[in-house]
Amino acid sequence: MKNKNKKKWYILFTVPLLIIFTTVVIIPFLIGIYYSFFEWDGIAANAKEFVGLDNFVQLAGDERFRESAWLTILFTVLSVVTINAIGLAFALLVTSKIKSANAARTMLFMPYLIGGLILGYIWQFVFLDVFTLLGEVTGLDQIFFNWLIDPEFALFGLVFVFTWQMAGYIMIIYIAGLQGIPNDVIEASKIDGASPWQRFIRITLPLLMPALTISLFLTLSSAFKIYDVNLSLTGGGPANATELFAMNIYNEIFGSGNYGLGQAKAIVFFLIVAAITLTQVYITKKREVEM
Amino acid sequence: MRRTLDFLKAALLLVLALFFLSPIYIIIVNSFKDRQELYDNPLTLPDSFSFQYYVEAMDKMNFLSAFGNSLYITIVSVVLIVILSSMTAWMLVRTDDKLSMVIFMVFIATMLIPFQTLMMPLMQFMSTLTNTLNIPMYNTLEGLIFMNIGFHSSLSVFLYHGFIKSIPITLEEAATIDGASKFGVFWRIIFPMLKPITATVMILNVISIWNDFLLPSLTLIDTDLRTIPLSTFYFFGEFTIQWNLAMAGLTLTIIPVVIFYALAQKHIIKGIGEGAVK
């Protein structure tokens, strides 16, 4: 009797969410795997033709997909490095005992709240008008010009804007990590005569590993999956020079109407994201030290 | 000497932060300028403050309707996410068996699936539900709320799960002996104790649901259902050349975010920090 009652409550508490979650995530995921073995144009009346692994074979020879894979990797590596370097630098600055630290922390976090799509439009204008103006005024038109219309620079523009969006967010995570470092460890090292640089490398950084694990995970996965900023800042242009993975998949499915092939790309995308983020978490977790 | 140095450092940090936010300054000052003034110098303050472009942008973006839709979707989604995922997480923690383990593991594992992997089959499935079973999932705000709950529950269950594990069980047992039902125990005793993590869950979900573009763009077809990111997207599709109008539109979209941030600034920064460490 008591057990039966317990079961009733268990069902009552968990089943509503499980139904929604299954409908929205689990079933579409399974359907998605199924679709990736078919050739189909997305029109319900048209037949789906089973092609087995053909879509995946075709991917290997898809020049535009390979190009976008390379761009995505380049973008991710650059973004992860700059976001974490700047985020950590910000965190160290605003945790020092300076009067304006709190105000600065509030301001630096601001871009993260605005949202990728709108940030992209804001920066489109900055690159178009302010960068060109700065180039004219300072004469440094090798540096200040509209990066977004240059195929070689547009990707850096994207890294730039994404860093602007994420650095403040990552800063908050490093701040939480820094605050977790006990003060007496720092004091002890000061008494032992360690220089600020030694202190940072030997004490702060190793104790910051848990924050680094999370920050790397968040920056890696969000850089890989970036879409909004990509769409509003460059739209993938010029000449597909900034068409990253997520956008390439969207275009293949909804732009070209290759539903089966696009879905095969989406599955490969999932496998890559899962493999990379899990590897990163495994590696950095191992380097965390216990206090 | 030390004091001057500290003052210099503080001033430098403030200048850095202001410089960091300069794109927002640029957007705002140019939203008041006419075309000639804008091209002459995009960095200076405007000659006069005319709200002409704001009125026009508000009208063309259908701003009030978009704002209402965004607000409705965000509030209802977040409230339901908090209720459903806290209840689920609590049961999963307190029922220590294989099934609970498996369910929790599935929640965690699906966090690795990018939205792009699900978007096409999800849309197919949702339109099937709409067309064959008459469940209005596709092209309705309520359908979008349903999908928001599905996509945001993993992280929320994960955060609640970690927090609940650290709460001792004795209080619950005492209440049960006193005759409280499970429902009573959860809502009267446990849920109030979850306040800090509920704040984190709410903040993270508000930010991502309010700013979401791709999911609404796939599910909402009717123009009067558009959210703020959606109406911004369509607005830019039509008015990119008219930058002053576009600037006013962008400023409008930022205002609600700035107000939200000003009101809840301390909680937001604290909530994000705590969510990350957990």
Side-chain angles (χ1 to χ4, degrees):
Chain A
M1 183 61 213
K2 203 172 166 243
N3 251 332
K4 219 175 172 186
N5 212 356
K6 234 180 145 181
K7 218 175 208 165
K8 189 189 85 189
W9 283 112
Y10 189 78
I11 292 172
L12 209 67
F13 269 61
T14 57
V15 162
L17 186 63
L18 288 177
I19 290 176
I20 302 175
F21 182 70
T22 309
T23 318
V24 176
V25 179
I26 307 289
I27 296 176
F29 184 64
L30 299 175
I31 302 176
I33 297 173
Y34 172 79
Y35 277 151
S36 68
F37 300 117
F38 287 83
E39 195 177 308
W40 184 39
D41 58 7
I43 299 164
N46 290 353
K48 299 183 185 71
E49 192 198 335
F50 182 78
V51 293
L53 291 173
D54 267 17
N55 286 329
F56 293 94
V57 176
Q58 208 179 322
L59 276 189
D62 185 335
E63 194 66 41
R64 191 160 152 192
F65 188 58
R66 282 215 306 250
E67 177 68 20
S68 121
W70 161 242
L71 290 171
T72 309
I73 291 166
L74 187 63
F75 170 79
T76 303
V77 171
L78 290 173
S79 305
V80 167
V81 171
T82 54
I83 293 169
N84 280 283
I86 293 174
L88 180 57
F90 279 171
L92 290 169
L93 275 175
V94 301
T95 46
S96 56
K97 290 182 193 84
I98 304 178
K99 262 194 185 142
S100 59
N102 271 330
R105 177 188 315 201
T106 308
M107 287 159 77
L108 296 173
F109 180 69
M110 182 81 208
Y112 182 72
L113 282 171
I114 294 174
L117 191 87
I118 287 153
L119 290 187
Y121 289 126
I122 293 177
W123 278 93
Q124 222 189 73
F125 179 76
V126 175
F127 278 119
L128 177 77
D129 249 47
V130 180
F131 265 51
T132 39
L133 178 85
L134 283 177
E136 279 168 31
V137 172
T138 59
L140 297 168
D141 53 7
Q142 301 286 319
I143 305 168
F144 294 112
F145 60 97
N146 187 357
W147 293 9
L148 305 179
I149 51 169
D150 183 319
E152 278 181 36
F153 270 76
L155 192 77
F156 298 120
L158 202 56
V159 173
F160 195 99
V161 176
F162 190 54
T163 304
W164 190 67
Q165 178 186 22
M166 293 291 289
Y169 179 52
I170 295 305
M171 165 190 79
I172 299 293
I173 294 167
Y174 282 122
I175 290 173
L178 287 170
Q179 282 166 347
I181 298 175
N183 226 342
D184 43 349
V185 182
I186 304 282
E187 290 304 321
S189 71
K190 274 188 194 164
I191 293 166
D192 289 346
S195 71
W197 177 248
Q198 279 175 322
R199 235 172 20 237
F200 177 71
I201 292 293
R202 295 280 168 82
I203 296 170
T204 310
L205 216 50
L207 289 177
L208 216 50
M209 281 311 282
L212 188 77
T213 301
I214 301 159
S215 299
L216 282 180
F217 174 77
L218 287 169
T219 40
L220 250 182
S221 58
S222 49
F224 242 97
K225 293 187 272 193
I226 190 173
Y227 179 77
D228 294 16
V229 183
N230 197 183
L231 180 71
S232 57
L233 189 71
T234 63
N240 299 334
T242 59
E243 189 191 63
L244 300 184
F245 252 163
M247 183 174 278
N248 183 277
I249 291 166
Y250 184 94
N251 290 342
E252 190 71 62
I253 297 176
F254 298 112
S256 315
N258 296 326
Y259 275 54
L261 181 65
Q263 190 55 33
K265 284 185 180 183
I267 299 292
V268 171
F269 183 47
F270 158 65
L271 294 174
I272 296 173
V273 172
I276 291 179
T277 45
L278 287 178
T279 311
Q280 174 261 314
V281 171
Y282 176 75
I283 292 173
T284 45
K285 265 252 175 248
K286 261 203 339 205
R287 310 201 54 172
E288 287 179 12
V289 284
E290 294 286 333
M291 264 310 288
Chain B
M1 185 60 207
R2 214 199 135 86
R3 268 182 136 178
T4 359
L5 202 70
D6 275 355
F7 176 77
L8 266 176
K9 270 194 199 159
L12 216 66
L13 189 58
L14 208 60
V15 169
L16 174 82
L18 282 171
F19 179 71
F20 195 72
L21 287 185
S22 59
I24 294 172
Y25 161 83
I26 289 166
I27 298 305
I28 296 172
V29 292
N30 288 300
S31 66
F32 294 103
K33 296 178 184 173
D34 65 33
R35 193 175 285 213
Q36 191 51 49
E37 203 189 339
L38 188 148
Y39 285 123
D40 283 347
N41 189 339
L43 296 176
T44 52
L45 285 171
D47 288 340
S48 65
F49 285 91
S50 133
F51 285 88
Q52 174 199 343
Y53 300 112
Y54 281 88
V55 176
E56 213 178 314
M58 226 162 158
D59 179 50
K60 292 203 162 123
M61 286 178 78
N62 213 347
F63 185 79
L64 289 178
S65 150
F67 179 73
N69 290 336
S70 279
L71 205 61
Y72 173 66
I73 290 168
T74 309
I75 290 175
V76 179
S77 302
V78 172
V79 168
L80 290 174
I81 289 167
V82 164
I83 293 174
L84 294 173
S85 57
S86 63
M87 291 199 324
T88 305
W90 181 58
M91 269 298 168
L92 294 181
V93 174
R94 293 306 185 218
T95 314
D96 193 15
D97 60 8
K98 259 215 172 104
L99 182 67
S100 298
M101 253 274 280
V102 171
I103 295 174
F104 183 62
M105 281 308 179
V106 171
F107 271 118
I108 305 305
T110 52
M111 281 203 263
L112 291 168
I113 306 175
F115 179 73
Q116 281 78 11
T117 305
L118 298 171
M119 64 182 176
M120 189 273 273
L122 176 74
M123 286 308 119
Q124 297 293 330
F125 188 46
M126 288 301 147
S127 43
T128 310
L129 289 181
T130 309
N131 298 333
T132 59
L133 298 175
N134 264 328
I135 307 170
M137 286 293 181
Y138 192 58
N139 198 21
T140 61
L141 298 180
E142 290 71 25
L144 179 60
I145 290 170
F146 186 88
M147 290 179 242
N148 274 335
I149 298 171
F151 282 121
H152 292 84
S153 53
S154 291
L155 179 67
S156 309
V157 167
F158 175 68
L159 290 170
Y160 274 122
H161 198 275
F163 192 87
I164 292 168
K165 265 203 296 199
S166 65
I167 301 178
I169 199 164
T170 42
L171 240 107
E172 294 169 32
E173 285 168 345
T176 314
I177 292 166
D178 288 348
S181 70
K182 285 263 180 200
F183 204 75
V185 170
F186 181 73
W187 287 110
R188 298 239 202 92
I189 298 166
I190 302 303
F191 192 73
M193 290 169 77
L194 302 180
K195 240 188 206 159
I197 200 72
T198 298
T200 304
V201 169
M202 284 175 79
I203 287 158
L204 290 173
N205 285 311
V206 164
I207 296 170
S208 77
I209 293 172
W210 181 271
N211 289 324
D212 191 18
F213 166 74
L214 190 49
L215 179 62
S217 81
L218 293 169
T219 40
L220 305 174
I221 307 300
D222 296 347
T223 33
D224 55 348
L225 294 183
R226 281 178 189 166
T227 59
I228 285 189
L230 265 182
S231 72
T232 313
F233 177 74
Y234 287 107
F235 177 72
F236 262 81
E238 291 166 56
F239 300 100
T240 11
I241 314 297
Q242 253 173 291
W243 273 106
N244 32 16
L245 191 57
M247 296 296 114
L250 286 177
T251 310
L252 276 176
T253 63
I254 298 174
I255 291 170
V257 179
V258 173
I259 293 175
F260 168 67
Y261 192 36
L263 291 177
Q265 175 242 111
K266 276 208 182 96
H267 300 283
I268 292 172
I269 291 191
K270 205 170 146 235
I272 301 256
E274 275 171 5
V277 186
K278 284 269 168 306

